[in-house]
């Protein structure tokens, strides 16, 4: 089975398991990946391929992209962009530091300006061998806005969640939001505890986004298909239930082994997937909430 026949979430398994490894340079691993473009509004697009979903703004001011997947896919991403309009992205936004969202930085950073939270710069700089072109040029602690293609895009950092450097990007007029990995549609999320992530913070950040969107908002998740507010609310309900369930087990004095033996509530078992299995989600909840 070729990569292009794999499901979006199976592709995500590949990209997440490769984060921060040298395998990014293995072009053969990505040779069959196709970058698929979905038009959301007159100026806004969503690209899927292998790695985090890409948001695109295209118009009279040029091109802007949100996340850029893996380094070997940079030429394919560029080709897909040029099918919309010619040119290179003027701006690149990193929603966080993971390599499946920043792998193309070195390519696109040669001619574009990279925006990201301070901690993205900190973590990418700490990674040995990261070229200067791959590092964010404009960093911020909370919010920054970009006026581009007759819209205002606001980059918001809401505190630790998926990592300690997450940004959510809101289009004001187009009513689109790119959530980065603060949203895995219909799947257990990856909370990078070693990267400053927080289960409670993750849930709270999702709740904050829900309070800032409406029923017409189009949501680009970090991984998964295009979503809406109902999808995000369903995701938050899973997070709420997971946190309450684990807190109850911890209060009861259950060990991690005992929690595994009991298993996760049946209602949410089908949210398990190859990278974040039921076991790994239980491990994450227990490790973070027991602190």
């Amino acid at each position: 089975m070729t990569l292009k026949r794999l499901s979006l979430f199976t592709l995500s398994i590949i990209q997440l398991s490769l984060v921060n490894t040298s395998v990014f340079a293995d072009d053969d691993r990505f040779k069959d990946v196709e970058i698929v473009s979905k038009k959301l509004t007159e100026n806004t697009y969503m690209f899927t391929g292998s790695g985090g979903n890409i948001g695109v703004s295209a118009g009279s001011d040029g091109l802007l992209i949100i996340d850029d997947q893996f380094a070997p896919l940079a030429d394919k991403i560029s080709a897909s962009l040029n099918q919309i309009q010619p040119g290179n992205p003027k701006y690149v936004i990193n929603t966080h530091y993971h390599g499946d969202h920043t792998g193309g930085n070195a390519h696109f950073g040669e001619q574009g300006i990279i925006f990201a939270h301070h901690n993205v710069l900190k973590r990418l700089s700490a990674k040995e061998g990261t070229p200067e072109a791959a590092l964010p040029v404009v960093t911020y602690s909370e919010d920054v806005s970009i006026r581009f293609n007759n819209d205002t895009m606001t980059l918001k950092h809401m505190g630790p969640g998926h990592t300690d450097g997450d940004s959510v990007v809101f289009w004001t007029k187009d009513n689109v939001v790119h959530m980065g990995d603060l949203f895995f549609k219909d799947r257990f999320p990856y909370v990078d505890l070693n990267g400053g992530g927080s289960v409670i913070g993750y849930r709270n950040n999702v709740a904050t986004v829900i309070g800032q969107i409406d029923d017409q908002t189009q949501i680009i998740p970090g991984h998964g298909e295009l979503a809406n507010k109902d999808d995000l609310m369903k995701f938050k309900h899973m997070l709420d239930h997971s946190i309450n369930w684990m807190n109850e087990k911890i209060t009861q004095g259950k060990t991690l082994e005992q929690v595994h033996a009991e298993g996760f509530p049946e209602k949410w078992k089908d949210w398990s997937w190859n990278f974040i299995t039921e076991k790994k989600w239980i491990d994450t909840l227990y490790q973070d909430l027991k602190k």
Side-chain angles (χ1 to χ4, degrees):
M1 180 180 292
T2 63
L3 275 174
K4 63 184 177 183
R5 294 179 183 171
L6 295 176
S7 69
L8 184 59
F9 278 108
T10 305
L11 288 173
S12 297
I13 299 162
I14 295 171
Q15 48 89 339
L16 283 166
S17 62
L18 294 179
V19 169
N20 296 326
T21 72
S22 61
V23 189
F24 293 170
D26 183 4
D27 291 358
D28 287 344
R29 186 177 297 274
F30 302 99
K31 65 184 178 64
D32 291 326
V33 174
E34 293 181 353
I35 305 300
V36 178
S37 173
K38 182 179 182 66
K39 188 170 185 177
L40 307 185
T41 72
E42 185 62 31
N43 298 108
T44 308
Y45 299 79
M46 170 178 163
F47 284 4
T48 56
S50 178
N53 293 330
I54 298 173
V56 179
S57 174
S60 58
D61 291 331
L63 292 166
L64 174 153
I65 61 173
I66 303 169
D67 291 340
D68 47 37
Q69 299 193 352
F70 290 107
L73 295 174
D75 288 340
K76 291 185 178 184
I77 294 168
S78 293
S80 293
L81 289 170
N82 285 321
Q83 288 179 6
I84 297 172
Q85 70 179 60
N88 297 301
K90 290 184 178 180
Y91 303 119
V92 178
I93 298 168
N94 291 159
T95 61
H96 59 288
Y97 79 97
H98 289 155
D100 59 309
H101 294 254
T102 63
N105 275 14
H107 175 89
F108 294 108
E110 288 287 349
Q111 299 186 55
I113 297 173
I114 302 175
F115 287 70
H117 184 266
H118 295 322
N119 287 335
V120 175
L121 174 60
K122 174 184 175 182
R123 293 187 179 279
L124 290 180
S125 298
K127 182 182 176 183
E128 185 176 354
T130 301
E132 186 67 25
L135 297 176
V137 174
V138 179
T139 64
Y140 47 90
S141 59
E142 292 183 1
D143 300 353
V144 65
S145 294
I146 303 172
R147 295 174 59 249
F148 199 71
N149 289 330
N150 300 311
D151 207 337
T152 299
M153 306 174 72
T154 302
L155 291 53
K156 289 181 175 288
H157 174 69
M158 302 174 183
H162 173 62
T163 68
D164 60 5
D166 305 324
S167 293
V168 177
V169 183
F170 295 83
W171 280 257
T172 302
K173 289 172 61 178
D174 279 350
N175 199 11
V176 174
V177 57
H178 191 309
M179 291 191 63
D181 280 1
L182 281 172
F183 188 16
F184 288 71
K185 186 175 181 291
D186 298 330
R187 295 294 186 271
F188 294 141
Y190 173 40
V191 181
D192 183 359
L193 301 180
N194 293 327
S198 161
V199 170
I200 297 295
Y202 194 118
R203 187 271 310 276
N204 292 346
N205 291 343
V206 170
T208 298
V209 174
I210 289 173
Q212 297 181 12
I213 62 176
D214 58 40
D215 292 340
Q216 282 69 52
T217 304
Q218 298 185 82
I219 304 173
I220 302 174
H223 300 271
E225 299 175 352
L226 184 69
N228 56 33
K229 185 175 182 179
D230 284 344
D231 295 320
L232 188 59
M233 290 180 69
K234 181 181 176 183
F235 182 66
K236 180 181 177 294
H237 292 159
M238 181 277 297
L239 295 171
D240 288 336
H241 193 110
S242 297
I243 291 168
N244 293 339
W245 174 79
M246 182 56 76
N247 278 335
E248 181 181 353
K249 300 302 177 185
I250 292 171
T251 299
Q252 293 171 352
K254 298 288 179 68
T255 66
L256 180 58
E257 291 71 23
Q258 288 172 325
V259 176
H260 277 305
E262 292 182 12
F264 204 68
E266 190 67 32
K267 179 179 181 180
W268 305 108
K269 281 183 176 289
D270 62 353
W271 287 58
S272 176
W273 54 296
N274 289 34
F275 185 68
I276 305 299
T277 61
E278 175 184 340
K279 180 182 183 303
K280 187 164 185 178
W281 182 229
I282 290 175
D283 288 344
T284 299
L285 292 167
Y286 193 90
Q287 179 182 345
D288 199 32
L289 297 177
K290 191 172 172 60
K291 291 188 299 186

